[in-house]
Amino acid sequence: MAKITKDMIIADVLRMDRETAPIFMRHGLHCLGCPASSMESIADAAMVHGLSVDALINDLNEFFAKKGE
């Protein structure tokens, strides 16, 4: 099972599973195709957009946990 952390790059998580895109979008990160997503950590993106990084990380890890069942 994948373990997502705050320091991971958004594009890397999307490469792990494209089905994570709606999770990012639900949390307010709509610019998944922008160049910053290939260099920006989840924590940095959440900070810039004023989002809860902990809630996003939790949802991403829940997604991967369910896929691993």
Side-chain angles (χ1 to χ4, degrees), residues 13-14 17-27 29 32 60 63:
V13 176
L14 289 168
D17 193 317
R18 297 301 266 171
E19 291 180 29
T20 58
I23 299 169
F24 282 105
M25 294 179 75
R26 190 168 53 246
H27 281 271
L29 292 175
L32 299 177
L60 289 167
F63 168 82

Side-chain angles (χ1 to χ4, degrees), residues 47-66:
M47 181 184 65
V48 167
H49 293 282
L51 308 172
S52 170
V53 69
D54 293 326
L56 174 55
I57 294 296
N58 185 58
D59 285 354
L60 289 167
N61 281 317
E62 282 183 12
F63 168 82
F64 281 107
K66 286 179 184 173

Side-chain angles (χ1 to χ4, degrees), residues 3 5-6 10-13 15-16 18 22 27-28 38-39 42 45-46 54 58 61 63-64 66 68:
K3 174 72 173 162
T5 62
K6 297 174 187 180
I10 295 170
D12 292 342
V13 176
R15 275 192 285 280
M16 290 168 68
R18 297 301 266 171
H27 281 271
S38 65
M39 304 175 291
I42 297 170
D54 293 326
N58 185 58
N61 281 317
F63 168 82
F64 281 107
K66 286 179 184 173

